[in-house]
Amino acid sequence: MFNLTSISHKPTSQKVRIVLSALFTSALVTGALVTNAFMAPNAYSQTIATDMTTDNPVNSLKTQNTRVVSAGAGITELVLALDASNELVGVDSTSQIPAELTEVAKLGYHRMLSAEGILALSPSLLLGSDAMGPKTTLEVLSQANVNVVQLPDADTQAQLLANIDQMGELLSRQSQATALKSQVEEAFVKLDAKQQKITDNGKPLKVLFLLLQADRPARVGGNNTAADIIINLAGGNNIAGFDGYKSVSQEGILALQPDVILISNRSDDEQQNPAAELLEKMPLLQHTPAGEHKQIKAIKPQALLGGLGISAIQAADTLASDFLSIQAATQQL
């Protein structure tokens, strides 16, 4: 559906590392940058390099070789989909990039970015979501003439399309943005059709999402989570009944009697048999409809990061097909 792999990468030259590093060091010594009132997130979208001659940030970026640091799995996914990987010089730890992009630096978690590590890459543009931070790092980078742009986390089709438009402008990939928006809109049309079929087949399936992490109790994904977005897009009924993530005992899950259990372990390792692995760890779930009929599905962690994005749409499409298959099998019993 989306072309994330047909991309090329070419190294770009380092430009002003020494100057920016000096600015950063000076900022830390004086403390001036960290004591100033922090700018609102949207204010960063107006930040632009002082050595640029135009007042228009977008136009100014078009005139030079953009060196992009992308922070956030969903944002990086869009950079790749817009065929702008050749301008990537760094990504955060949640971002997934093709193995051939060996010269792209891996930075820290997108909420805990280091200004020094980013400045060492001499970027001209830092792209991230509202969650990108910390604020002090963003302010240091802005003062060091890096164009810092934070895009709202997308939880609707309209916001996702708006983000694609803005990134297309910033990366001078307007035609790619137009094509990508068409793909996204087509994907939503297909999802709507599947949702209608699911509705026509009867009541939506009861779905529960479990986030599994080593040495921690399983947490259920409630309303307003990435899992909730995917379940709703797929035409399912998230039965968690609360907002955010909460730990729920096996007995509590048993009482909910989910038809389908979705799991993710925040690991890139693909599970060979997610149903068997879950039931071995949580044997009581065998007595739910999901456990009895082995309707336990794994979602790649990439789909749960960065709000509504390409991976989330793909996961929802797969899940909607699963729901239709389950309904068809149930009707044949």
Side-chain angles (χ1 to χ4, degrees):
M1 179 168 53
F2 299 97
N3 183 6
L4 289 176
T5 57
S6 61
I7 51 177
S8 61
H9 177 64
K10 56 182 181 183
T12 52
S13 62
Q14 300 286 316
K15 295 191 296 184
V16 291
R17 178 181 304 173
I18 296 175
V19 174
L20 296 183
S21 296
L23 285 172
F24 172 65
T25 302
S26 174
L28 292 180
V29 170
T30 62
L33 298 180
V34 296
T35 56
N36 287 339
F38 183 65
M39 300 163 64
N42 288 340
Y44 284 107
S45 64
Q46 303 303 317
T47 306
I48 192 64
T50 55
D51 59 347
M52 296 177 181
T53 57
T54 174
D55 292 333
N56 185 325
V58 171
N59 288 337
S60 62
L61 284 170
K62 291 177 182 176
T63 63
Q64 59 184 264
N65 186 22
T66 307
R67 295 176 57 81
V68 179
V69 171
S70 178
I75 297 296
T76 301
E77 198 172 59
L78 291 179
V79 171
L80 298 176
L82 291 170
D83 198 23
S85 64
N86 61 316
E87 294 178 352
L88 273 178
V89 295
V91 296
D92 79 308
S93 60
T94 69
S95 297
Q96 299 291 318
I97 58 175
E100 59 264 32
L101 298 181
T102 57
E103 296 187 14
V104 176
K106 273 282 189 178
L107 304 170
Y109 187 52
H110 67 126
R111 294 177 184 270
M112 302 176 63
L113 295 171
S114 160
E116 188 173 16
I118 293 175
L119 287 173
L121 301 173
S122 300
S124 55
L125 174 63
L126 170 62
L127 277 172
S129 70
D130 282 339
M132 179 172 66
K135 295 178 179 179
T136 49
T137 291
L138 303 185
E139 191 171 41
V140 168
L141 294 171
S142 179
Q143 293 293 333
N145 297 333
V146 177
N147 187 24
V148 179
V149 178
Q150 289 184 280
L151 300 170
D153 262 343
D155 55 7
T156 65
Q157 179 183 359
Q159 185 60 60
L160 176 59
L161 295 177
N163 286 352
I164 293 171
D165 260 336
Q166 187 172 354
M167 290 181 63
E169 289 291 319
L170 287 164
L171 298 169
S172 298
R173 298 295 197 283
Q174 291 89 343
S175 61
Q176 290 90 337
T178 299
L180 180 58
K181 286 197 305 177
S182 295
Q183 290 178 317
V184 168
E185 289 168 338
E186 182 182 351
F188 274 101
V189 169
K190 290 180 178 177
L191 269 174
D192 288 343
K194 289 184 178 180
Q195 284 182 18
Q196 188 59 55
K197 287 182 181 177
I198 291 168
T199 301
D200 293 343
N201 288 339
K203 293 177 64 176
L205 296 171
K206 297 190 296 183
V207 185
L208 197 72
F209 173 77
L210 291 179
L211 180 61
L212 307 175
Q213 293 173 288
D215 303 323
R216 295 185 62 178
R219 291 192 295 161
V220 172
N223 301 324
N224 302 313
T225 63
D228 184 57
I229 292 174
I230 293 171
I231 293 170
N232 290 327
L233 273 179
N237 173 28
N238 185 1
I239 57 173
F242 50 77
D243 290 338
Y245 285 93
K246 288 185 179 179
S247 297
V248 178
S249 66
Q250 291 187 60
E251 291 78 3
I253 297 173
L254 182 64
L256 292 172
Q257 290 289 292
D259 298 310
V260 179
I261 295 177
L262 305 180
I263 60 174
S264 180
N265 58 11
R266 292 277 174 90
S267 168
D268 293 332
D269 298 334
E270 187 171 350
Q271 292 176 282
Q272 297 300 317
N273 191 335
E277 291 179 25
L278 179 66
L279 294 177
E280 182 178 354
K281 293 177 181 176
M282 305 176 74
L284 277 183
L285 303 192
Q286 178 70 53
H287 303 290
T288 66
E292 181 179 354
H293 301 294
K294 305 295 185 290
Q295 297 300 347
I296 298 172
K297 310 292 183 182
I299 294 183
K300 292 182 178 179
Q302 184 79 2
L304 300 169
L305 299 172
L308 178 59
I310 295 172
S311 291
I313 296 171
Q314 291 173 327
D317 186 76
T318 300
L319 191 57
S321 296
D322 289 338
F323 289 166
L324 288 169
S325 297
I326 293 169
Q327 286 182 322
T330 302
Q331 291 169 353
Q332 291 175 359
L333 293 177

